[in-house]
Amino acid sequence: MGFRLEGPLLEGSVVRLEPLGRHHTAGLAAAAEENRDSYTFTWVPTASEAEPYIDAQLERAAAGRLAPYAQVSVRTGQVVGATAFWDPRMWFAEDQLSAVEVGFTWLAGSAQGTGINTEAKMLLFRHAFENWNVSRVDLKTDARNSRSRAAIEAVGARFEGVLRSWSRSWAPGEDGRLRDSAMFSIVAQEWPECRARLKSRLEKIKERSGSRSATS
């Protein structure tokens, strides 16, 4: 039996990654309707698009191409975004996953900068490297998206270059156009250092958050 891409429940101290289901529709719709200023190069569904968005992700999951998640705030229990494992590659045997991508990621405006993205990436990377024993995790974004590129580098991924006209553009008004994609990765040898970096970064975010709460 070959490997099947299925993501289990992953839970940290600030975010819980729940396998995406139709019961997340209302929560995703609400999250998507917060401040959308950061979605310049990323397609995020509007409230009315949340249901077909989930259906499309579940179709990809049924085909074995995607393991989609809802990102849920541990503190509030509210859905604050989505992410996924994507593009599984078995290079040596059908039951041995060699590489996978983390993508389809977006967060509500209120969840950005709170540590949720940092911990979500740590949970996803840890599962990929320590449970699936992959050799590589990829991340990519629109080459013009400096905000996303900085966020990817901040979680420890290394920039590998830009692939021109690599995939469809998700930027508003660019239907039918291709984009240049900035490619990043973490390989297995780098994971211990990356894990330590993520833990340190998350602790600093929590400390800043605690300091703000104490003075407010």
Side-chain angles (χ1 to χ4, degrees):
M1 182 178 179
F3 175 85
R4 181 167 181 81
L5 186 65
E6 293 179 334
L9 175 71
L10 300 173
E11 186 159 7
S13 60
V14 296
V15 67
R16 182 170 62 251
L17 301 181
E18 299 179 358
L20 185 67
R22 292 185 177 87
H23 60 288
H24 292 116
T25 302
L28 275 183
E33 287 303 307
E34 292 188 19
N35 188 323
R36 297 177 62 89
D37 290 347
S38 64
Y39 302 152
T40 306
F41 299 106
T42 303
W43 185 80
V44 174
T46 61
S48 63
E49 294 168 328
E51 186 172 352
Y53 167 82
I54 291 175
D55 287 343
Q57 295 295 73
L58 295 180
E59 286 181 11
R60 294 184 180 103
R65 300 165 54 208
L66 183 81
Y69 284 101
Q71 301 198 61
V72 178
S73 167
V74 170
R75 182 178 64 84
T76 66
Q78 295 179 330
V79 176
V80 293
T83 191
F85 286 118
W86 166 241
D87 190 21
R89 278 152 285 156
M90 284 68 73
W91 288 328
F92 302 108
E94 288 301 311
D95 61 350
Q96 179 184 345
L97 183 66
S98 297
V100 71
E101 182 174 332
V102 169
F104 288 92
T105 300
W106 60 271
L107 281 174
S110 62
Q112 296 174 22
T114 64
I116 283 177
N117 180 62
T118 299
E119 188 171 60
K121 292 297 192 297
M122 184 167 66
L123 294 171
L124 292 165
F125 296 163
R126 184 172 66 192
H127 188 77
F129 286 116
E130 299 180 14
N131 292 84
W132 289 336
N133 297 312
V134 300
S135 296
R136 171 187 170 98
V137 172
D138 317 333
L139 303 97
K140 67 177 183 287
T141 188
D142 192 306
R144 300 167 294 179
N145 193 341
S146 58
R147 181 187 182 117
S148 179
R149 290 174 66 159
I152 292 172
E153 289 183 331
V155 298
R158 294 193 182 186
F159 175 61
E160 295 184 324
V162 173
L163 296 181
R164 297 176 297 167
S165 297
W166 177 251
S167 63
R168 64 173 291 183
S169 173
W170 295 101
E174 294 189 354
D175 290 349
R177 292 177 57 182
L178 296 177
R179 76 176 196 190
D180 295 346
S181 291
M183 310 297 291
F184 298 80
S185 71
I186 302 166
V187 297
Q189 300 94 313
E190 299 165 347
W191 169 235
E193 179 182 350
C194 178
R195 179 178 55 203
R197 179 176 176 176
L198 285 168
K199 287 182 178 179
S200 176
R201 179 177 171 82
L202 186 59
E203 286 304 316
K204 289 178 181 177
I205 293 172
K206 288 179 181 177
E207 288 173 6
R208 289 199 299 269
S209 178
S211 297
R212 286 196 298 267
S213 298
T215 57
S216 61

